[in-house]
Amino acid sequence: MRVMAQMAMVMNLDKCIGCHTCSVTCKQTWTNRSGMEYVWFNNVETRPGQGYPRTYEDQERWEGGWKLNKRGRLTLKSGSRLKNLLTIFSSPNMPTIQDYYEPWTYDYETLTNAPLQEHTPVARPKSLISGKDMHVSWSGNWDDDLAGAPELTSDDPVLKEVSDKVKLEFEQTFMFYLPRICEHCLNPPCVASCPSGALYKRSEDGVVLVDQDRCRGWRKCVTGCPYKKVYFNHRTGKAEKCTFCFPRVEVGLPTVCAETCVGRLRYIGLVLYDADAVLDAASVQDERELFAAQRRVLLDPDDPDVVREAERAGIPHDWIEAAQRSPIWSLINRYEVALPLHPEYRTMPMVWYIPPLSPVVDVVSDTGSDAEDRHNLFAAIDSLRIPVEYLAELFTAGDTAPVTAVLKRLAAMRSYMRDINLGREPDDSIPAAVGMSGADLYDMYRLLALAKYEERYVIPPAHAEQAHGLEELATECSLDYEGGPGMGGWGPFGEGSGGSTPIAVESFHSLKQRQTTNTLTDPENKEKRVNLLNWDGKGAPEGLFPPRPGQERGAPEVMEGTDPDDDAEPKP
C-alpha cells in the first residue's frame, strides 16, 4: 500500500440552476487573456446536448483516454508511441475552433459614432481571432435550456446510446445542468500523451498542471484528454488547463468556481488513495466494473492501518485529519451517492457527481400523486422513461443499477426527512429499504442540504516545511510568460486576473489594439497620465480636462478663480 493524497470535488447536480456564475468568475480569473477567448476552464452544459467542445464524448472520433490492448494492458486510445511520434507535428484527432466556437465581440463603435439616420445602426459580430465579420452559429453552451432541441440534442453522443428509450419531443423531454472542470485524474492521459513532459501531477495534492517552460505546443495533450479540458493558447503557443486554483487551495481556500457557486452544490476535500492500486483498477476488463474499482482505490481515512501508512509516507497529521472530515469520502464511500464522469475512459477521474433526482420528482408531481412518498418515488425511478439510462451512460458506463441505487437513497432521504420536519414519527423502514440507518440518512441530509462553509470545503493549507518544494513546483509550472496570469500587478492572481477589461464590454477596435500590442497595456503617452493621488487639489494638471477653444494643446489648464503664478486659494 502506497498512500497518497488527492484534492477532489463532488457536485450535487440537483442544486445546479445553470446560472454560469462559476464559468464567468473562472473566466475572469484565469482565461480573460489574449489567445484564451474561446477557453472555459469551467463550463456548464445543458443535458441532453452536444457539450463543449461539441460531441467531445465521441471517443470513436476523438480517440481520447485509455483502452486495453490485446494483452489486456492499458494503452492510449490515440495510438502507440510510434504513431504519436509520427503525427507529432499535426495531431489528427483534435477539435477545431469550430468545434469549440469562434469567439466574437461586437463593433460597438458603429453604435456610438453613427450619425443620426432613419434606421438604427447594427453592431456586427466580429471574430476575436481574425477580426473579420462573422456569422454566430455556435458557442460554449449553444444547447442552453434545450435551445434548438430536438435538432441539436439528437447529436448528443450519450443520447445515441439510449435513443430507443428516449423521446425527443421537446415538450416531453428532460434536462439538467452539468458543470465541468478538469478531472485531475489519478491516471491522466494528458500527462502520458505529452511528448515534452510538460504536464505533470503534483505528488502533494494530485493537481495536474502544465509546465509552461517545457511546453512546446505539440497539442498531444488536447488529443489525449477525453474530457477535452486542455486548451491551446494560440497567442503564446502553450497548452493551458484548469489548475484547481492551486494558489487558493495551498492557503486553505476553495476554488473560485466553488467559492462563487450560487447553488452551493460543490464540495471540496482531501481523499487518501492507494497509488499502487490505480493501474489494476484502471485495467479492469469489464467497463461496468470500473466505477466500483475506483471506489476501492480510495482508502478509509479512519482505518488505523491507512493512518499509519499515510504518516509513513510523509503526509502531515492535519492533512490526515482533514481527510477524515472530508465530505468527498463521505459522499463517495460512506453514503455512496456520488458517481464519476465517464469511468469507461479509464482515467480514474476525481471530480464526481450526485445525479439529479428532480426529473423523477417532477414526473410524479405531474401525475397528481404525492411526490415525496417513497412508494411513488421508488416506482417512478424504476419505470422512468428517460433519465436513468442516460445518467448511467454518463456516470457508470451504462450500468443502471448503481444509478438507481443512488436515486433511491436520495428519494429515501426526502421521504424520511419530511416526516421529521413535519413533527411526525420517522419511519425506520425507509432507510432500511436502501441499506442505511436513520442516523446515516439524517447525516447525509445535513451534508447535502444544510452544510456550512467549513463543512463543504475541508481544505488543509500547505505546510511551511513544504514551502520550498511548492516553490520549486511553482517555478516548474511558470505562469509568468507574456500574457499569463502570473505577470504580477493587481488582481488576486496577477494582472491577467483583474487588470484587463472584460471582453463583453470592450469594443472591437480597442480589443484589437490590445491584442496586437506587445504589452498588456499600451505604454504610449504613459508619462502624460494624471496621477490624482499626488495632486494637491490646486489648479488643473495637464490632461485632466480637454483644452478650451483657443488654448494651445499642452498649455496648463487654469481653474476659474486661481492665479497661475502662485498657489493662492481660489478668489471669491
Side-chain angles (χ1 to χ4, degrees), residues 63-248:
E63 296 184 343
W66 302 89
K67 67 176 181 179
L68 295 180
N69 60 18
K70 296 180 180 179
R71 292 181 293 176
R73 300 181 60 181
L74 275 182
T75 182
L76 289 172
K77 199 164 186 176
S78 57
S80 63
R81 293 183 179 179
L82 178 60
K83 179 183 177 181
N84 281 284
L85 182 62
L86 294 175
T87 58
I88 192 173
F89 294 105
S90 179
S91 187
N93 299 317
M94 190 173 64
T96 64
I97 193 65
Q98 285 73 29
D99 293 309
Y100 291 102
Y101 79 99
E102 187 170 357
W104 73 90
T105 186
Y106 296 95
D107 189 358
Y108 294 111
E109 288 194 13
T110 301
L111 300 180
T112 58
N113 297 338
L116 183 64
Q117 52 186 297
E118 181 181 357
H119 301 289
T120 303
V122 176
R124 297 183 180 277
K126 299 276 188 177
S127 170
L128 289 175
I129 296 177
S130 66
K132 299 178 180 179
D133 292 347
M134 62 172 290
H135 173 67
V136 178
S137 59
W138 193 258
S139 74
N141 191 19
W142 204 253
D143 305 305
D144 193 19
D145 293 341
L146 294 178
E151 288 78 9
L152 294 178
T153 54
S154 59
D155 293 326
D156 180 353
V158 178
L159 198 62
K160 291 180 180 179
E161 301 295 328
V162 294
S163 58
D164 57 327
K165 298 181 180 180
V166 176
K167 296 181 180 179
L168 279 178
E169 289 81 358
F170 180 78
E171 64 276 5
Q172 292 183 315
T173 191
F174 75 102
M175 60 164 283
F176 63 93
Y177 300 107
L178 181 70
R180 290 202 306 121
I181 64 172
C182 170
E183 297 288 331
H184 296 277
C185 309
L186 298 181
N187 186 33
C190 58
V191 175
S193 301
C194 181
S196 56
L199 279 92
Y200 63 98
K201 187 173 179 67
R202 295 209 305 190
S203 59
E204 286 79 8
D205 53 14
V207 175
V208 179
L209 298 172
V210 182
D211 183 341
Q212 294 289 315
D213 295 329
R214 283 190 173 186
C215 180
R216 296 295 178 266
W218 299 121
R219 288 172 279 186
K220 284 294 181 180
C221 51
V222 180
T223 300
C225 176
Y227 306 99
K228 292 296 173 279
K229 277 299 176 181
V230 185
Y231 305 93
F232 182 70
N233 186 328
H234 60 83
R235 178 76 185 275
T236 62
K238 306 287 187 178
E240 298 193 33
K241 62 177 295 298
C242 162
T243 65
F244 210 82
C245 290
F246 71 88
R248 294 175 57 93

Side-chain angles (χ1 to χ4, degrees), residues 321-536:
E321 291 180 343
Q324 293 170 345
R325 295 182 290 110
S326 172
I328 308 302
W329 166 259
S330 296
L331 293 172
I332 292 177
N333 275 20
R334 183 171 298 159
Y335 307 130
E336 298 185 354
V337 292
L339 305 171
L341 181 63
H342 290 298
E344 68 272 18
Y345 297 160
R346 301 180 183 274
T347 63
M348 303 282 115
M350 289 311 297
V351 177
W352 289 45
Y353 296 86
I354 300 175
L357 183 64
S358 294
V360 184
V361 178
D362 293 341
V363 169
V364 177
S365 299
D366 291 342
T367 64
S369 303
D370 185 358
E372 300 294 341
D373 184 270
R374 73 178 180 92
H375 299 289
N376 294 335
L377 274 178
F378 285 2
I381 291 171
D382 290 332
S383 60
L384 196 59
R385 72 189 188 283
I386 299 175
V388 174
E389 292 81 12
Y390 188 88
L391 294 172
E393 291 294 334
L394 277 176
F395 302 123
T396 56
D399 187 4
T400 59
V403 178
T404 301
V406 170
L407 294 177
K408 285 188 174 182
R409 290 195 168 198
L410 296 175
M413 181 188 70
R414 291 196 181 204
S415 298
Y416 184 78
M417 290 307 303
R418 186 179 67 160
D419 289 339
I420 295 178
N421 292 331
L422 293 179
R424 297 198 294 252
E425 190 69 23
D427 184 357
D428 291 333
S429 66
I430 296 178
V434 293
M436 299 179 69
S437 66
D440 286 341
L441 212 56
Y442 182 79
D443 290 341
M444 184 174 76
Y445 163 76
R446 289 277 309 172
L447 183 58
L448 292 180
L450 304 176
K452 297 180 180 180
Y453 186 93
E454 61 273 11
E455 295 173 315
R456 288 183 285 120
Y457 310 131
V458 183
I459 307 171
H463 277 237
E465 62 270 19
Q466 294 176 327
H468 182 66
L470 291 172
E471 181 181 342
E472 290 179 348
L473 287 174
T475 303
E476 292 176 4
C477 185
S478 173
L479 294 175
D480 58 356
Y481 56 90
E482 188 275 323
M487 287 291 290
W490 60 280
F493 298 101
E495 186 171 277
S497 68
S500 303
T501 305
I503 292 174
V505 297
E506 194 170 32
S507 71
F508 164 71
H509 296 286
S510 61
L511 178 62
K512 183 177 181 181
Q513 180 183 8
R514 179 170 67 85
Q515 287 185 317
T516 54
T517 187
N518 292 326
T519 58
L520 281 178
T521 57
D522 193 350
E524 187 177 335
N525 296 326
K526 187 174 182 179
E527 66 280 357
K528 296 182 180 179
R529 295 178 182 175
V530 178
N531 186 352
L532 295 178
L533 296 177
N534 295 333
W535 180 38
D536 59 4

Side-chain angles (χ1 to χ4, degrees), residues 223-279:
T223 300
C225 176
Y227 306 99
K228 292 296 173 279
K229 277 299 176 181
V230 185
Y231 305 93
F232 182 70
N233 186 328
H234 60 83
R235 178 76 185 275
T236 62
K238 306 287 187 178
E240 298 193 33
K241 62 177 295 298
C242 162
T243 65
F244 210 82
C245 290
F246 71 88
R248 294 175 57 93
V249 170
E250 286 174 2
V251 295
L253 295 176
T255 61
V256 170
C257 59
E259 180 80 74
T260 60
C261 177
V262 174
R264 300 181 180 180
L265 60 97
R266 299 180 188 234
Y267 299 79
I268 299 178
L270 197 74
V271 293
L272 304 178
Y273 71 97
D274 184 0
D276 291 335
V278 171
L279 179 60

